[in-house]
Amino acid sequence: MPSGAPSKPDQMREGEKPSRDDPIRSFGRRRGKKLRPGQERLLAEFLPTITFDPSADFNSQFGNGHGNGQGEAKKEIWMEIGFGGGEHLAAQADLNPDIGFIGCEPFINGVVKLASQLKAKGLKNVRVWADDVRMIFDGVPDQALSRVFILFPDPWPKKRHSKRRLLTAQTLDQLARMMKPGAELRIASDHADYVRWALGQVLAHPAFAWTAESVRDWKHPPADWVETRYQQKARARGIGATFLIFRRRA
Ligand SMILES: C[S@@+](CC[C@H](N)C(=O)[O-])C[C@H]1O[C@@H](n2cnc3c(N)ncnc32)[C@H](O)[C@@H]1O
């Protein structure tokens, strides 16, 4: 485990001042409503069996009989950063049993929701990191990922909060390192300023090429898209989304 990584998902920097080396926090609260006893049990008993271990052998966590990664080795590994309540991640894992997934989310109530969906559906192809994704970058080998989802990331619209946005040049450097040539980076947002900023960030990075050829490509999601909870809520309020799909250059 990287130095400073928590042994429990909830342990990091809660109420503590970040040290100079900590990344600026890109997420809001770690906990919402008090968990019910069944949810507390899921966190204490089930979550450890599906937790991604950045210090363990990467591939053996997705097949070859290691823990919850039992069964066939996975043909690709996809990562979702900020899965919220996990609806999209659980649906993708269900649709793609031959893919291994790493889901990262520091909001514990969301983590419990995902855990309960995985347990109910018997899905064994997901590993969870219940904290800041940036803590596990060192545990993901070069060119290990074939797809990365960053769906409706916190837009941090106030100027004084803009440093909290996750998609920094440093994050993009790490994504570029972890992604295979040809791998897909999917970003979606309903926040126009954020979309402009995110597009500028990724286009400024030499490792990524935008796949869009016409307006249709950013107004409409790819055919295999699964709506996220946040996206559904925005749509119910009449707010559309923009879909930015990039390829990791060779
Ligand atoms: C606006 S929510 C969207 C949730 C979900 N993707 C959806 O569309 O329903 C953004 C999520 O990103 C998570 N997040 C923010 N920074 C993160 C980080 N550094 N690592 C992992 N998740 C992060 C937040 O906790 C939050 O749940």
Side-chain angles (χ1 to χ4, degrees):
M1 200 167 281
S3 62
S7 53
K8 284 191 196 153
D10 207 9
Q11 209 166 299
M12 188 188 75
R13 298 195 291 279
E14 195 89 75
E16 287 172 28
K17 282 207 175 129
S19 83
R20 216 186 307 166
D21 295 335
D22 289 330
I24 295 168
R25 187 162 150 157
S26 61
F27 46 88
R29 57 196 181 146
R30 296 289 314 266
R31 281 192 180 259
K33 269 198 212 149
K34 186 174 161 40
L35 300 179
R36 295 189 298 276
Q39 294 178 311
E40 290 285 7
R41 262 199 311 281
L42 266 182
L43 262 196
E45 291 165 19
F46 182 59
L47 184 64
T49 70
I50 57 168
T51 289
F52 176 73
D53 181 351
S55 62
D57 177 64
F58 183 81
N59 287 319
S60 66
Q61 300 188 61
F62 302 95
N64 306 331
H66 178 98
N68 199 43
Q70 284 164 356
E72 300 281 303
K74 300 300 177 209
K75 68 170 192 198
E76 290 184 357
I77 307 297
W78 297 359
M79 175 185 271
E80 181 166 351
I81 301 176
F83 59 69
E87 297 83 3
H88 171 270
L89 180 53
Q92 289 285 5
D94 201 8
L95 286 170
N96 299 286
D98 51 346
I99 306 287
F101 289 83
I102 307 175
C104 307
E105 175 54 65
F107 182 54
I108 297 304
N109 299 63
V111 171
V112 174
K113 274 194 188 157
L114 172 73
S116 119
Q117 295 169 76
L118 297 180
K119 194 162 192 210
K121 293 183 176 172
L123 297 172
K124 299 201 185 297
N125 53 338
V126 180
R127 289 260 156 187
V128 180
W129 179 252
D131 213 321
D132 190 328
V133 65
R134 294 170 290 187
M135 298 170 76
I136 61 164
F137 283 158
D138 288 349
V140 179
D142 293 359
Q143 303 193 7
L145 304 177
S146 299
R147 188 174 289 184
V148 175
F149 301 94
I150 308 180
L151 307 179
F152 302 90
D154 297 301
W156 295 111
K158 291 185 182 152
K159 198 160 183 251
R160 70 175 195 277
H161 287 151
S162 59
K163 284 204 177 79
R164 291 179 179 270
R165 291 175 171 176
L166 180 63
L167 213 58
T168 59
Q170 290 76 13
T171 300
L172 286 164
D173 285 345
Q174 287 288 353
L175 292 177
R177 180 190 64 75
M178 296 185 295
M179 290 170 70
K180 285 187 195 328
E184 205 177 75
L185 171 61
R186 291 187 173 187
I187 301 172
S189 175
D190 64 337
H191 193 281
D193 284 346
Y194 184 86
V195 168
R196 270 192 291 278
W197 177 83
L199 183 58
Q201 289 289 104
V202 188
L203 289 180
H205 197 288
F208 296 98
W210 192 19
T211 62
E213 288 174 355
S214 72
V215 179
R216 221 202 115 68
D217 294 327
W218 67 83
K219 291 249 182 211
H220 298 277
D224 61 347
W225 192 265
V226 176
E227 265 201 346
T228 75
R229 188 172 154 73
Y230 189 92
Q231 183 180 1
Q232 283 170 355
K233 283 198 203 158
R235 188 164 47 77
R237 297 199 317 270
I239 303 170
T242 302
F243 307 91
L244 301 175
I245 318 290
F246 303 91
R247 286 235 171 265
R248 169 72 171 96
R249 290 183 203 274

